[in-house]
Amino acid sequence: MGARKTKRNNKGRYSAALAMCIFAGSAPAETTSNALTEDGYVGDLPVVLSVTRLAQSQADTPAAVTVIDRDMIRRSGARTIDELLRFVPGFMVSAWNGANPIVAYHAQMDNYGARLQVFIDGRSVYSSLMFGDTHRGMADVILEDVDRIEVLRGSNSAAFGSNAFLGVINIVTKNAADTRGTLISTNIGNDGISDQTLRYGWGTDDTNWRITAARRFDQGDDMRRVYPSYFPQSGTIQDNTELSQMHLRGDLRLSPQDDLQLELGGSRQRADDGDGTLLNPTVTAITNNGYALARWNRQLSSTESISLSANFDSEVFQSLQYVNGYAISPPFPFNVQNPIALNTSGTAQRTEFEFSHTLKPLDTVRTVWGVSWRGEDARSPAMFNTDQTFSQTQTRVFGNLEWRIVPKLLLNAGGLIEKDSVIGTNFAPRVMFNWQPLPEHTFRIGMTRANDTPPLLAIYGNNPIRNPDPATASFVPILRWDTLATGNAGPEHIYTREVGWLGDFREIGLTIDVRGYYEQMTGLLRRVDMPGATSPLNRSDFVNQASADTRGVEYQMNWRPREGTRLMAAQSYTRVTSDQYWQTLALETPRVLYSLAWFQDWPREWSSSLMYSHTGSMTWARQADTIPGYGILSTRWSKRFTIGSTRNEVALTAQNIDGGQYQYLVPSPLDPLNPGSGHPIVPVAQRRVFLTLRTEY
């Protein structure tokens, strides 16, 4: 892939050695109420819902799944969902600055996570406006409310449609009946860390409600000016994040056969962007999200049920950036006034309805089928160059069959037909065999196809760069476009063949899950510079002109050698081969990713966590800078105690103990004749230490 040789990161090597030494031994712990005895993880394998829409043991699913349970969430010390995904094999986690995280699964094709399907309680949280972005929607959940996170590693359009191109992240919150009472939690630390959470739950045997409010703030990464003499600073460099949110959930038992789940919530996020240079000055982007969800379930019999759901999402995005026009290459005509405006503000709405029917017609057969409809609208005079609202609808029919052919052989077969109002109809099938020759061993082999629909901006985007007109207080288009789509963008396609092995050694408390895959991706959508209407001015368009083949092996291990001790490991090896176009972008996928974790209970209600993750050398999308491999070492120590009827915890967490890593860009000087080149100011990840206080009553 044309990677440059880089000097090894000695700090990362020492951190890995330290983590491995600690892995070699683990101390016993007294039996306390803090012991690691999460139901569903000792004895039986976890039951997951994110693969076929059927509740299945991991041994029966047609895909590899990582489950992050509530105990692991607490012990990790994570403040955000993306931090937890470092424990998932093959997942790359980074940020283009401290306010804008990036999550990708084994192929870094964009900065928005648009090829991952993210659910919160079954509700899609991608942006209908910003390229299908998922990182802001993924933040719209409070970790104190999360019961578990199911991560399906691999395509799943056969169950959930086009967004599940590379994988599915299903965030499941706790039932309101499990959160009665009051919870107060706060984090205080360096880097401006200041988080507060307040939750109150109440109810009866048949009706339970929960309301949670939270605020999260920090000052992001160290925005380091490496070459200040090349490019003057045009403003304060900052990448602060402030997220305020509130969520209401109700779980109602209407009758012995009927359940109703209701959710309502909203959030407001202020995230800084830009690097403080004349070309990319700091701007604060504001995102306001709101949603409502209702889901009705009826149990028709012990083997049959139906479900009907509806949800609505609203998004308002505000970002207006003023840029020095003479700092852009190629330069603008001399009559262009400064500053010019880069505006990406807009609004979007999405409505979804879904019906599903689950039944067991035979002792050896279970099925689920259903239909869904999704409609989304986006309006942005800045990015579409019109007041018109652009719409897109998708109608889906899905089904999956689980057939135990013989006691040791299981077939999962299914698919989804998706009719899109803009790009037409696509079909995503899946066939997978699970063979269990011995109770401890399950082997998996099969194939699936998936498709990804281009976002509205890739089809209708028309974003001319403008400069302010002082006479009318308006923005006047000038002869260059940031985006001018031709409307020819089509779906992306992926064909996956995979094998897997799941080892479940209950006598020693060990599970191992291995996945090997070969993915062929075609028609990948890329944003490219195209000749403009007036040479030499140019524009960007979205075209399906890249392809790539990905081969890899990954595994995860979860071992409980004794009560109170939990050891985890995950690792992936990935190789990407691609066409000439991809190679011209100088993209490099990390060959190796791995993570290690040790969670330990100690006497007197003390507990500790030690975690390490490593990312091999790589580049991110459209960047020619090779980032050296780096590691992140973190630890958490906590003490639980009671005062009267209150249950309390105090914890000290240190994240990224080494600090100082480049995770998105490496510094490079500017070419004075090409001011748009180089990266004189880059984000540098730094150590974070914070204290957590938590009480429930």
Side-chain angles (χ1 to χ4, degrees):
M1 296 292 293
R4 298 182 306 194
K5 293 183 179 179
T6 56
K7 188 175 181 179
R8 293 182 62 88
N9 187 334
N10 288 327
K11 290 196 296 182
R13 190 191 313 174
Y14 300 149
S15 300
L18 174 60
M20 289 302 295
C21 288
I22 296 173
F23 243 76
S26 53
E30 291 183 357
T31 302
T32 70
S33 61
N34 197 33
L36 288 163
T37 57
E38 183 85 358
D39 292 341
Y41 293 87
V42 177
D44 294 331
L45 291 169
V47 173
V48 297
L49 307 171
S50 308
V51 185
T52 63
R53 296 175 179 262
L54 292 168
Q56 294 177 301
S57 164
Q58 278 187 296
D60 294 336
T61 63
V65 182
T66 298
V67 179
I68 303 173
D69 60 84
R70 70 175 76 173
D71 187 73
M72 181 178 172
I73 294 171
R74 180 183 64 84
R75 293 173 183 268
S76 71
R79 299 172 58 239
T80 59
I81 295 291
D82 56 279
E83 292 175 4
L84 290 165
L85 295 176
R86 294 186 186 275
F87 297 105
V88 181
F91 266 75
M92 299 175 291
V93 179
S94 184
W96 70 73
N97 70 5
N100 293 278
I102 310 171
V103 174
Y105 178 52
H106 73 226
Q108 70 285 18
M109 294 186 291
D110 63 70
N111 290 346
Y112 302 97
R115 294 171 176 86
L116 291 171
Q117 173 69 74
V118 180
F119 291 117
I120 299 178
D121 290 333
R123 176 178 58 88
S124 297
V125 295
Y126 72 92
S127 169
S128 297
L129 181 68
M130 293 299 296
F131 302 105
D133 177 279
T134 58
H135 86 268
R136 289 188 176 93
M138 197 184 304
D140 283 351
V141 65
I142 300 169
L143 285 184
E144 294 282 5
D145 287 344
V146 175
D147 181 67
R148 68 185 184 276
I149 304 170
E150 301 174 1
V151 184
L152 185 147
R153 310 191 314 271
S155 302
N156 200 20
S157 292
F160 296 112
S162 56
N163 295 76
F165 188 71
L166 289 178
V168 176
I169 301 171
N170 183 27
I171 303 167
V172 182
T173 66
K174 300 172 184 175
N175 190 292
D178 298 329
T179 55
R180 292 184 188 177
T182 301
L183 178 144
I184 302 172
S185 178
T186 185
N187 295 324
I188 301 293
N190 71 330
D191 194 29
I193 291 176
S194 177
D195 308 333
Q196 299 83 34
T197 300
L198 174 63
R199 184 178 74 203
Y200 178 66
W202 71 98
T204 64
D205 289 343
D206 294 328
T207 302
N208 289 278
W209 294 91
R210 173 181 72 232
I211 186 168
T212 312
R215 174 186 177 270
R216 174 167 58 84
F217 178 83
D218 63 64
Q219 296 173 346
D221 292 333
D222 175 15
M223 298 296 290
R224 190 168 298 174
R225 296 184 68 208
V226 185
Y227 297 98
S229 61
Y230 280 89
F231 212 159
Q233 181 180 344
S234 64
T236 302
I237 308 174
Q238 59 187 26
D239 56 350
N240 299 341
T241 301
E242 182 178 14
L243 174 63
S244 300
Q245 52 186 317
M246 180 176 291
H247 304 279
L248 173 71
R249 171 167 172 162
D251 292 281
L252 293 73
R253 173 61 61 91
L254 305 179
S255 74
Q257 296 81 31
D258 297 279
D259 294 307
L260 180 64
Q261 178 182 336
L262 300 173
E263 295 188 14
L264 181 69
S267 67
R268 178 179 176 85
Q269 181 175 10
R270 297 172 58 89
D272 291 335
D273 207 344
D275 59 16
T277 63
L278 293 175
L279 181 61
N280 190 20
T282 299
V283 61
T284 299
I286 301 174
T287 306
N288 294 295
N289 287 330
Y291 71 90
L293 176 145
R295 179 177 294 109
W296 168 64
N297 298 299
R298 163 162 281 196
Q299 194 72 34
L300 300 176
S301 70
S302 61
T303 59
E304 185 176 7
S305 64
I306 59 175
S307 176
L308 181 65
S309 66
N311 63 268
F312 173 78
D313 288 81
S314 174
E315 173 188 5
V316 179
F317 183 72
Q318 304 172 36
S319 178
L320 177 59
Q321 193 176 32
Y322 292 97
V323 178
N324 187 324
Y326 299 110
I328 293 182
S329 177
F332 288 97
F334 290 107
N335 61 350
V336 173
Q337 300 179 11
N338 278 310
I340 63 172
L342 299 180
N343 193 350
T344 54
S345 303
T347 62
Q349 295 82 39
R350 181 170 58 253
T351 304
E352 297 184 71
F353 299 96
E354 181 176 287
F355 169 82
S356 64
H357 182 199
T358 303
L359 67 158
K360 187 177 182 181
L362 301 171
D363 289 342
T364 57
V365 175
R366 289 196 305 157
T367 65
V368 59
W369 70 274
V371 296
S372 67
W373 179 88
R374 172 188 296 167
E376 49 191 329
D377 303 309
R379 179 183 178 275
S380 174
M383 292 194 291
F384 296 118
N385 200 27
T386 176
D387 286 332
Q388 177 183 351
T389 297
F390 292 91
S391 302
Q392 188 173 17
T393 63
Q394 294 174 341
T395 304
R396 297 167 172 170
V397 179
F398 57 84
N400 190 84
L401 169 73
E402 181 195 83
W403 177 25
R404 191 162 294 280
I405 303 172
V406 295
K408 296 183 178 181
L409 183 62
L410 183 73
L411 168 67
N412 279 285
L416 180 144
I417 300 173
E418 181 176 84
K419 182 178 180 181
D420 187 281
S421 61
V422 177
I423 65 170
T425 302
N426 285 288
F427 175 56
R430 174 173 54 207
V431 176
M432 191 72 66
F433 290 93
N434 289 33
W435 178 46
Q436 193 172 27
L438 296 171
E440 299 86 2
H441 302 276
T442 302
F443 296 91
R444 185 178 64 248
I445 185 170
M447 59 74 60
T448 185
R449 290 185 184 273
N451 313 289
D452 195 26
T453 301
L456 288 168
L457 194 61
I459 301 170
Y460 301 114
N462 183 346
N463 185 11
I465 299 177
R466 307 161 184 259
N467 78 289
D469 183 354
T472 62
S474 62
F475 295 101
V476 180
I478 59 178
L479 297 178
R480 183 179 175 186
W481 286 265
D482 181 54
T483 302
L484 183 56
T486 60
N488 294 322
E492 301 174 324
H493 305 282
I494 183 171
Y495 174 42
T496 302
R497 284 156 283 185
E498 72 172 79
V499 296
W501 169 64
L502 177 66
D504 179 21
F505 307 100
R506 301 184 185 184
E507 291 185 358
I508 60 174
L510 173 66
T511 60
I512 302 175
D513 184 13
V514 181
R515 178 183 186 238
Y517 58 89
Y518 174 39
E519 298 174 340
Q520 295 174 288
M521 294 177 281
T522 58
L524 295 175
L525 201 63
R526 307 300 303 179
R527 182 173 179 173
V528 298
D529 290 335
M530 305 291 287
T534 305
S535 183
L537 303 180
N538 63 1
R539 59 180 170 81
S540 294
D541 191 12
F542 294 87
V543 296
N544 302 87
Q545 70 172 77
S547 62
D549 294 346
T550 305
R551 299 170 176 85
V553 177
E554 60 193 30
Y555 72 87
Q556 61 183 11
M557 182 199 76
N558 190 350
W559 184 26
R560 301 173 186 267
R562 56 175 64 90
E563 186 177 5
T565 300
R566 183 177 182 181
L567 304 176
M568 302 180 67
Q571 192 166 22
S572 66
Y573 300 87
T574 306
R575 181 181 179 186
V576 177
T577 57
S578 57
D579 57 15
Q580 183 177 1
Y581 174 78
W582 184 292
Q583 293 173 2
T584 60
L585 296 178
L587 292 180
E588 180 187 358
T589 296
R591 291 290 183 93
V592 179
L593 295 162
Y594 65 84
S595 64
L596 306 168
W598 173 31
F599 303 129
Q600 181 66 49
D601 288 337
W602 304 98
R604 302 182 183 277
E605 298 278 10
W606 283 90
S607 65
S608 64
S609 307
L610 186 64
M611 300 147 287
Y612 180 79
S613 64
H614 175 82
T615 301
S617 63
M618 63 172 293
T619 61
W620 279 100
R622 299 182 67 87
Q623 304 294 341
D625 306 270
T626 299
I627 305 168
Y630 64 90
I632 294 178
L633 178 66
S634 303
T635 187
R636 180 181 187 267
W637 289 81
S638 68
K639 164 73 173 176
R640 284 184 164 184
F641 58 96
T642 59
I643 301 177
S645 62
T646 65
R647 303 178 303 279
N648 309 280
E649 182 181 39
V650 58
L652 182 66
T653 302
Q655 296 178 326
N656 194 17
I657 294 173
D658 287 354
Q661 304 95 338
Y662 299 116
Q663 298 186 42
Y664 184 70
L665 295 173
V666 293
S668 57
L670 293 164
D671 178 357
L673 300 179
N674 183 8
S677 67
H679 309 292
I681 302 175
V682 296
V684 179
Q686 55 187 330
R687 180 189 303 113
R688 288 181 174 178
V689 180
F690 56 91
L691 181 70
T692 300
L693 302 174
R694 187 175 187 270
T695 185
E696 292 183 84
Y697 57 91

